[in-house]
Amino acid sequence: MANPPPTPTTGVTPVAARSLPSAVWRAVRSGWWTSTCAVLIVLIVLLAAAAGLFVLVEGQSLNPDIATLGPTGLPAGALGGVSGAHWFGVEPLTGVDLFALAAHGARTSLLVGLGATVLATALGVVIGVSAGYLGGWWDRLVTWTADVILGFPYLIFMIALGAVLPVDFPRQFTLVVVLGLFGWPRVARIVRSQALTLGKRDFVAAARVMGGGPWHVFTKELLPNLWAPIIVVASLSIPSMIGSEAALSFLGVGVLPPTPSWGRTISTAIDFFETDPMYLVFPGLLLFLITLAFNVVGDAIRDALDPRSGGGA
């Protein structure tokens, strides 16, 4: 009796999928600059996750403290009230500790950025793979819908939506949903092109011949070989989502008071820039650093997983 043919999932492509974590690790260790940015991401994520603990260690809170203000309502002392008790200074007019605002604002910005990225990536993967694999009218519909969404001014939409939403409506949830719905087309385009290429490979054809249905082909053949582009596009989408949340909160249609947010803190700081520029420095610096760090690490992962660059597994 002849030996049974090997299953399609034993080809060379799953090996690349299994080597993905090592490729990402090599990307993070590819240079001192990338490693520094990776450490920076970890530190800011820890700051956001343990914001309450870090603020407690500092000995402050989000409560106003007018005793830290001068007669004009600006922080007493030099550099915006920076001292041993207030590491980043205090907020003008309220005296709220700026380190507490920045730490809790990191939690808000990262939750929205990561949540919107997860939603956009999940939608983009499912829609993109199905369009590339099934083709036909569904592929044309997905392509047309993605083009329309990419050309739609989501910023104007969010401004209009923020004007009609009730004040007590959960704004963080709204930002995650809206940013995710407007972000999936970029993911879907990349995944669709990869699915079109993989759909012509022998191991996918073998899976079909052996009776594998669309769900089997998606989960066992296509998805394991799509992790590389998925991780790359997700890592590069996170800073964009964080920046979008900050921009919307800056415009007053994102996170509303009293929830701390980097974008809202920066928006308030603009009004005091001429008299108290330090109020703008730390929230703006944190936003810049986390965006830069994610972009650098995302570029390194893309280079490591791109076989044309010589870094792919």
Side-chain angles (χ1 to χ4, degrees):
M1 180 182 295
N3 293 328
T7 58
T9 55
T10 58
V12 295
T13 45
V15 175
R18 289 196 299 267
S19 64
L20 181 58
S22 62
V24 173
W25 179 244
R26 288 199 307 272
V28 172
R29 300 178 59 189
S30 60
W32 70 270
W33 179 233
T34 306
S35 300
T36 301
C37 289
V39 171
L40 187 61
I41 292 174
V42 173
L43 292 177
I44 295 180
V45 170
L46 288 176
L47 175 66
L53 177 61
F54 283 111
V55 172
L56 183 63
V57 170
E58 188 203 21
Q60 301 298 329
S61 66
L62 290 171
N63 297 324
D65 184 10
I66 59 174
T68 61
L69 303 176
T72 62
L74 296 178
L79 301 177
V82 173
S83 64
H86 301 281
W87 299 345
F88 288 2
V90 297
E91 183 181 41
L93 301 183
T94 65
V96 176
D97 182 69
L98 187 53
F99 176 79
L101 283 174
H104 287 279
R107 177 181 297 176
T108 301
S109 297
L110 288 178
L111 281 177
V112 172
L114 294 174
T117 299
V118 170
L119 178 59
T121 302
L123 290 175
V125 169
V126 173
I127 296 174
V129 171
S130 63
Y133 177 69
L134 299 176
W137 66 269
W138 174 244
D139 185 29
R140 293 191 295 271
L141 177 62
V142 168
T143 302
W144 178 82
T145 304
D147 291 338
V148 171
I149 294 178
L150 288 173
F152 192 84
Y154 81 93
L155 189 60
I156 297 178
F157 173 80
M158 277 300 301
I159 294 175
L161 184 63
V164 299
L165 282 177
V167 177
D168 58 349
F169 197 83
R171 293 301 179 99
Q172 296 183 56
F173 175 78
T174 304
L175 287 172
V176 169
V177 171
V178 172
L179 293 177
L181 292 178
F182 277 99
W184 72 260
R186 293 180 175 84
V187 182
R189 277 186 164 186
I190 296 174
V191 173
R192 172 185 172 273
S193 64
Q194 295 292 324
L196 285 172
T197 302
L198 291 173
K200 301 175 182 178
R201 299 286 295 273
D202 292 340
F203 66 92
V204 175
R208 294 171 179 169
V209 171
M210 295 175 65
W215 180 249
H216 170 84
V217 173
F218 170 70
T219 57
K220 302 298 184 181
E221 312 300 334
L222 296 179
L223 188 59
N225 298 282
L226 288 172
W227 281 121
I230 290 172
I231 288 180
V232 170
V233 71
S235 63
L236 294 175
S237 296
I238 293 174
S240 174
M241 294 297 185
I242 294 175
S244 296
E245 182 277 325
L248 292 169
S249 297
F250 178 86
L251 294 174
V253 295
V255 177
L256 299 179
T259 305
S261 167
W262 285 344
R264 192 169 60 79
T265 303
I266 293 172
S267 176
T268 306
I270 295 297
D271 298 333
F272 298 95
F273 182 73
E274 293 184 358
T275 55
D276 184 22
M278 288 299 297
Y279 184 32
L280 179 64
V281 170
F282 292 107
L285 182 62
L286 286 173
L287 178 61
F288 167 75
L289 289 177
I290 193 64
T291 304
L292 174 66
F294 269 117
N295 275 313
V296 170
V297 173
D299 285 339
I301 294 175
R302 179 190 58 194
D303 294 340
L305 297 176
D306 187 358
R308 293 171 297 181
S309 67

